[in-house]
Short mmCIF file of all heavy atoms in Angstrom, two decimals:
data_model
loop_
_atom_site.label_atom_id
_atom_site.label_comp_id
_atom_site.label_asym_id
_atom_site.label_seq_id
_atom_site.Cartn_x
_atom_site.Cartn_y
_atom_site.Cartn_z
N ILE A 269 -7.05 3.68 -7.71
CA ILE A 269 -7.14 5.11 -8.02
C ILE A 269 -5.90 5.56 -8.78
O ILE A 269 -5.99 6.26 -9.80
CB ILE A 269 -7.32 5.94 -6.74
CG1 ILE A 269 -8.69 5.66 -6.11
CG2 ILE A 269 -7.19 7.44 -7.05
CD1 ILE A 269 -8.90 6.35 -4.78
N ASN A 270 -4.72 5.17 -8.29
CA ASN A 270 -3.48 5.57 -8.97
C ASN A 270 -3.43 5.03 -10.40
O ASN A 270 -3.09 5.75 -11.34
CB ASN A 270 -2.27 5.08 -8.18
CG ASN A 270 -0.95 5.41 -8.84
OD1 ASN A 270 -0.47 4.68 -9.70
ND2 ASN A 270 -0.37 6.54 -8.46
N MET A 271 -3.77 3.76 -10.57
CA MET A 271 -3.76 3.16 -11.90
C MET A 271 -4.81 3.81 -12.80
O MET A 271 -4.55 4.06 -13.99
CB MET A 271 -4.01 1.66 -11.80
CG MET A 271 -2.89 0.88 -11.14
SD MET A 271 -3.32 -0.88 -10.93
CE MET A 271 -1.89 -1.47 -10.02
N GLY A 272 -5.97 4.09 -12.22
CA GLY A 272 -7.03 4.74 -13.00
C GLY A 272 -6.61 6.12 -13.48
O GLY A 272 -6.89 6.51 -14.62
N VAL A 273 -5.91 6.86 -12.63
CA VAL A 273 -5.41 8.18 -13.01
C VAL A 273 -4.39 8.06 -14.13
O VAL A 273 -4.42 8.81 -15.12
CB VAL A 273 -4.80 8.89 -11.79
CG1 VAL A 273 -4.00 10.13 -12.22
CG2 VAL A 273 -5.89 9.30 -10.80
N ASN A 274 -3.45 7.13 -13.99
CA ASN A 274 -2.41 6.94 -15.00
C ASN A 274 -2.98 6.52 -16.35
O ASN A 274 -2.44 6.89 -17.40
CB ASN A 274 -1.40 5.90 -14.53
CG ASN A 274 -0.32 6.45 -13.63
OD1 ASN A 274 0.82 6.64 -14.01
ND2 ASN A 274 -0.70 6.75 -12.38
N MET A 275 -4.07 5.75 -16.32
CA MET A 275 -4.67 5.26 -17.57
C MET A 275 -5.74 6.17 -18.13
O MET A 275 -6.33 5.88 -19.17
CB MET A 275 -5.27 3.87 -17.32
CG MET A 275 -4.27 2.81 -16.92
SD MET A 275 -5.09 1.22 -16.58
CE MET A 275 -3.75 0.25 -15.92
N GLY A 276 -6.01 7.27 -17.42
CA GLY A 276 -7.03 8.20 -17.91
C GLY A 276 -8.45 7.75 -17.60
O GLY A 276 -9.39 8.25 -18.22
N LEU A 277 -8.60 6.85 -16.64
CA LEU A 277 -9.94 6.37 -16.27
C LEU A 277 -10.52 7.16 -15.11
O LEU A 277 -11.74 7.10 -14.87
CB LEU A 277 -9.87 4.89 -15.88
CG LEU A 277 -9.33 3.94 -16.96
CD1 LEU A 277 -9.23 2.52 -16.41
CD2 LEU A 277 -10.23 3.97 -18.20
N LEU A 278 -9.66 7.89 -14.38
CA LEU A 278 -10.10 8.70 -13.24
C LEU A 278 -9.42 10.05 -13.30
O LEU A 278 -8.31 10.17 -13.86
CB LEU A 278 -9.74 8.00 -11.92
CG LEU A 278 -10.47 6.69 -11.61
CD1 LEU A 278 -9.85 6.02 -10.38
CD2 LEU A 278 -11.96 6.93 -11.39
N PRO A 279 -10.03 11.09 -12.72
CA PRO A 279 -9.40 12.42 -12.68
C PRO A 279 -8.08 12.38 -11.91
O PRO A 279 -7.90 11.54 -11.01
CB PRO A 279 -10.44 13.30 -11.97
CG PRO A 279 -11.73 12.57 -12.10
CD PRO A 279 -11.38 11.11 -12.12
N THR A 280 -7.18 13.28 -12.23
CA THR A 280 -5.86 13.33 -11.60
C THR A 280 -5.98 13.57 -10.10
O THR A 280 -6.67 14.48 -9.65
CB THR A 280 -5.01 14.46 -12.22
OG1 THR A 280 -4.91 14.25 -13.62
CG2 THR A 280 -3.61 14.46 -11.61
N LYS A 281 -5.30 12.71 -9.31
CA LYS A 281 -5.28 12.83 -7.86
C LYS A 281 -3.85 12.59 -7.39
O LYS A 281 -3.10 11.85 -8.00
CB LYS A 281 -6.19 11.78 -7.20
CG LYS A 281 -7.64 11.97 -7.51
CD LYS A 281 -8.47 12.66 -6.45
CE LYS A 281 -7.96 13.91 -5.87
NZ LYS A 281 -8.27 15.13 -6.56
N GLY A 282 -3.49 13.23 -6.30
CA GLY A 282 -2.14 13.11 -5.78
C GLY A 282 -1.95 11.89 -4.91
O GLY A 282 -1.67 12.01 -3.71
N LEU A 283 -2.11 10.71 -5.49
CA LEU A 283 -1.94 9.46 -4.75
C LEU A 283 -0.84 8.63 -5.39
O LEU A 283 -0.81 8.46 -6.60
CB LEU A 283 -3.24 8.65 -4.73
CG LEU A 283 -4.33 9.10 -3.74
CD1 LEU A 283 -5.58 8.25 -3.95
CD2 LEU A 283 -3.87 8.99 -2.31
N THR A 284 0.04 8.12 -4.55
CA THR A 284 1.13 7.28 -5.05
C THR A 284 0.66 5.85 -5.22
O THR A 284 -0.40 5.46 -4.73
CB THR A 284 2.32 7.31 -4.08
OG1 THR A 284 1.87 6.87 -2.79
CG2 THR A 284 2.89 8.71 -3.97
N LEU A 285 1.46 5.06 -5.92
CA LEU A 285 1.20 3.63 -6.08
C LEU A 285 1.82 2.91 -4.88
O LEU A 285 3.04 2.93 -4.71
CB LEU A 285 1.81 3.12 -7.38
CG LEU A 285 1.42 1.71 -7.86
CD1 LEU A 285 -0.09 1.58 -8.00
CD2 LEU A 285 2.11 1.41 -9.18
N PRO A 286 1.01 2.29 -4.02
CA PRO A 286 1.53 1.70 -2.78
C PRO A 286 2.71 0.75 -3.01
O PRO A 286 2.70 -0.04 -3.95
CB PRO A 286 0.32 0.94 -2.23
CG PRO A 286 -0.86 1.63 -2.80
CD PRO A 286 -0.43 2.08 -4.18
N LEU A 287 3.72 0.87 -2.14
CA LEU A 287 4.90 0.00 -2.12
C LEU A 287 5.83 0.19 -3.32
O LEU A 287 6.94 -0.35 -3.34
CB LEU A 287 4.49 -1.48 -2.05
CG LEU A 287 3.65 -1.89 -0.84
CD1 LEU A 287 3.06 -3.29 -1.04
CD2 LEU A 287 4.50 -1.87 0.43
N LEU A 288 5.41 0.97 -4.31
CA LEU A 288 6.22 1.14 -5.52
C LEU A 288 6.75 2.56 -5.69
O LEU A 288 7.93 2.76 -5.97
CB LEU A 288 5.41 0.75 -6.76
CG LEU A 288 5.10 -0.73 -6.95
CD1 LEU A 288 4.18 -0.92 -8.15
CD2 LEU A 288 6.37 -1.53 -7.15
N SER A 289 5.89 3.56 -5.53
CA SER A 289 6.27 4.93 -5.82
C SER A 289 7.25 5.49 -4.80
O SER A 289 7.33 5.03 -3.66
CB SER A 289 5.02 5.83 -5.85
OG SER A 289 4.17 5.49 -6.91
N PHE A 290 7.98 6.53 -5.22
CA PHE A 290 8.90 7.23 -4.33
C PHE A 290 8.10 7.99 -3.28
O PHE A 290 7.08 8.58 -3.56
CB PHE A 290 9.76 8.21 -5.13
CG PHE A 290 10.65 9.06 -4.27
CD1 PHE A 290 11.87 8.57 -3.82
CD2 PHE A 290 10.28 10.35 -3.92
CE1 PHE A 290 12.70 9.35 -3.03
CE2 PHE A 290 11.10 11.14 -3.12
CZ PHE A 290 12.32 10.63 -2.68
N GLY A 291 8.60 7.99 -2.04
CA GLY A 291 7.95 8.73 -0.98
C GLY A 291 8.21 8.11 0.37
O GLY A 291 7.86 6.94 0.60
N GLY A 292 8.81 8.87 1.28
CA GLY A 292 9.18 8.33 2.57
C GLY A 292 8.01 7.94 3.45
O GLY A 292 7.92 6.81 3.94
N SER A 293 7.08 8.88 3.66
CA SER A 293 5.94 8.61 4.54
C SER A 293 5.10 7.45 4.02
O SER A 293 4.67 6.58 4.78
CB SER A 293 5.07 9.87 4.68
OG SER A 293 5.79 10.92 5.28
N ALA A 294 4.87 7.44 2.71
CA ALA A 294 4.04 6.39 2.11
C ALA A 294 4.68 5.02 2.27
O ALA A 294 4.02 4.05 2.66
CB ALA A 294 3.79 6.70 0.63
N VAL A 295 5.97 4.93 1.98
CA VAL A 295 6.67 3.64 2.07
C VAL A 295 6.69 3.13 3.50
O VAL A 295 6.42 1.95 3.76
CB VAL A 295 8.10 3.76 1.52
CG1 VAL A 295 8.93 2.54 1.88
CG2 VAL A 295 8.08 3.93 0.00
N VAL A 296 6.99 4.01 4.45
CA VAL A 296 7.05 3.61 5.85
C VAL A 296 5.67 3.17 6.35
O VAL A 296 5.54 2.16 7.04
CB VAL A 296 7.61 4.75 6.73
CG1 VAL A 296 7.51 4.39 8.21
CG2 VAL A 296 9.06 5.04 6.36
N ALA A 297 4.63 3.94 5.99
CA ALA A 297 3.27 3.58 6.40
C ALA A 297 2.84 2.25 5.78
O ALA A 297 2.23 1.41 6.45
CB ALA A 297 2.29 4.69 5.99
N ASN A 298 3.17 2.04 4.50
CA ASN A 298 2.82 0.78 3.84
C ASN A 298 3.53 -0.41 4.48
O ASN A 298 2.91 -1.45 4.72
CB ASN A 298 3.19 0.85 2.35
CG ASN A 298 2.36 1.83 1.56
OD1 ASN A 298 2.74 2.24 0.46
ND2 ASN A 298 1.21 2.25 2.10
N CYS A 299 4.82 -0.26 4.76
CA CYS A 299 5.58 -1.35 5.38
C CYS A 299 5.06 -1.66 6.79
O CYS A 299 5.01 -2.82 7.20
CB CYS A 299 7.07 -0.99 5.44
SG CYS A 299 7.90 -1.00 3.82
N THR A 300 4.68 -0.61 7.52
CA THR A 300 4.11 -0.80 8.85
C THR A 300 2.81 -1.59 8.76
O THR A 300 2.55 -2.51 9.55
CB THR A 300 3.87 0.54 9.54
OG1 THR A 300 5.08 1.30 9.57
CG2 THR A 300 3.38 0.34 10.97
N ALA A 301 1.98 -1.23 7.78
CA ALA A 301 0.71 -1.94 7.57
C ALA A 301 0.95 -3.41 7.24
O ALA A 301 0.23 -4.29 7.73
CB ALA A 301 -0.09 -1.27 6.46
N ILE A 302 1.96 -3.69 6.42
CA ILE A 302 2.28 -5.08 6.09
C ILE A 302 2.73 -5.83 7.34
O ILE A 302 2.39 -7.01 7.54
CB ILE A 302 3.37 -5.14 5.00
CG1 ILE A 302 2.85 -4.54 3.69
CG2 ILE A 302 3.84 -6.57 4.79
CD1 ILE A 302 1.67 -5.27 3.10
N GLY A 303 3.49 -5.16 8.21
CA GLY A 303 3.90 -5.78 9.47
C GLY A 303 2.70 -6.14 10.33
O GLY A 303 2.65 -7.22 10.93
N VAL A 304 1.71 -5.25 10.39
CA VAL A 304 0.48 -5.51 11.14
C VAL A 304 -0.27 -6.69 10.53
O VAL A 304 -0.78 -7.57 11.24
CB VAL A 304 -0.42 -4.25 11.16
CG1 VAL A 304 -1.79 -4.57 11.77
CG2 VAL A 304 0.26 -3.13 11.94
N LEU A 305 -0.32 -6.73 9.21
CA LEU A 305 -1.01 -7.82 8.51
C LEU A 305 -0.31 -9.16 8.75
O LEU A 305 -0.96 -10.18 8.99
CB LEU A 305 -1.07 -7.51 7.01
CG LEU A 305 -1.84 -8.48 6.11
CD1 LEU A 305 -3.31 -8.54 6.53
CD2 LEU A 305 -1.72 -8.04 4.65
N MET A 306 1.01 -9.15 8.68
CA MET A 306 1.78 -10.37 8.95
C MET A 306 1.57 -10.84 10.38
O MET A 306 1.51 -12.05 10.65
CB MET A 306 3.27 -10.12 8.69
CG MET A 306 3.64 -9.83 7.24
SD MET A 306 3.65 -11.31 6.20
CE MET A 306 5.04 -12.21 6.85
N ARG A 307 1.45 -9.90 11.32
CA ARG A 307 1.22 -10.26 12.71
C ARG A 307 -0.15 -10.94 12.86
O ARG A 307 -0.28 -11.94 13.60
CB ARG A 307 1.28 -9.02 13.60
CG ARG A 307 0.95 -9.27 15.07
CD ARG A 307 2.05 -10.05 15.77
NE ARG A 307 1.65 -10.51 17.09
CZ ARG A 307 2.49 -10.90 18.03
NH1 ARG A 307 3.79 -10.89 17.81
NH2 ARG A 307 2.06 -11.33 19.21
N ALA A 308 -1.16 -10.39 12.19
CA ALA A 308 -2.49 -10.99 12.24
C ALA A 308 -2.44 -12.43 11.73
O ALA A 308 -3.04 -13.34 12.32
CB ALA A 308 -3.48 -10.17 11.43
N ASP A 309 -1.72 -12.65 10.64
CA ASP A 309 -1.59 -14.00 10.09
C ASP A 309 -0.84 -14.91 11.06
O ASP A 309 -1.23 -16.07 11.28
CB ASP A 309 -0.85 -13.94 8.75
CG ASP A 309 -0.53 -15.31 8.21
OD1 ASP A 309 -1.46 -16.02 7.79
OD2 ASP A 309 0.66 -15.70 8.22
N TRP A 310 0.24 -14.41 11.66
CA TRP A 310 1.03 -15.20 12.61
C TRP A 310 0.17 -15.61 13.81
O TRP A 310 0.22 -16.77 14.25
CB TRP A 310 2.23 -14.39 13.08
CG TRP A 310 3.13 -15.14 14.01
CD1 TRP A 310 4.13 -16.01 13.69
CD2 TRP A 310 3.10 -15.10 15.45
NE1 TRP A 310 4.73 -16.50 14.83
CE2 TRP A 310 4.12 -15.97 15.92
CE3 TRP A 310 2.31 -14.41 16.38
CZ2 TRP A 310 4.36 -16.15 17.28
CZ3 TRP A 310 2.56 -14.60 17.73
CH2 TRP A 310 3.57 -15.46 18.17
N GLU A 311 -0.61 -14.68 14.32
CA GLU A 311 -1.46 -14.99 15.47
C GLU A 311 -2.55 -15.99 15.08
O GLU A 311 -2.92 -16.86 15.89
CB GLU A 311 -2.08 -13.71 16.04
CG GLU A 311 -1.06 -12.81 16.73
CD GLU A 311 -1.70 -11.67 17.50
OE1 GLU A 311 -2.95 -11.60 17.55
OE2 GLU A 311 -0.95 -10.84 18.04
N ASN A 312 -3.08 -15.88 13.87
CA ASN A 312 -4.04 -16.88 13.39
C ASN A 312 -3.44 -18.28 13.48
O ASN A 312 -4.08 -19.23 13.94
CB ASN A 312 -4.44 -16.60 11.94
CG ASN A 312 -5.37 -15.41 11.81
OD1 ASN A 312 -5.90 -14.91 12.80
ND2 ASN A 312 -5.55 -14.95 10.58
N ARG A 313 -2.21 -18.42 13.01
CA ARG A 313 -1.54 -19.73 12.98
C ARG A 313 -1.28 -20.25 14.39
O ARG A 313 -1.39 -21.46 14.64
CB ARG A 313 -0.24 -19.63 12.19
CG ARG A 313 -0.46 -19.31 10.71
CD ARG A 313 0.84 -18.91 10.01
NE ARG A 313 0.58 -18.42 8.65
CZ ARG A 313 0.87 -19.09 7.55
NH1 ARG A 313 1.43 -20.27 7.61
NH2 ARG A 313 0.61 -18.56 6.36
#
């Protein structure tokens, strides 16, 4: 969605680019999600 908005392929929406854009809540939420994903992989192993 973010890339589509930047390229003019989608209407403008207030969404940041995950893990890249400035924003405290977004960065913390994204990093937390990655931690959960890494845990799932660790438990698989």
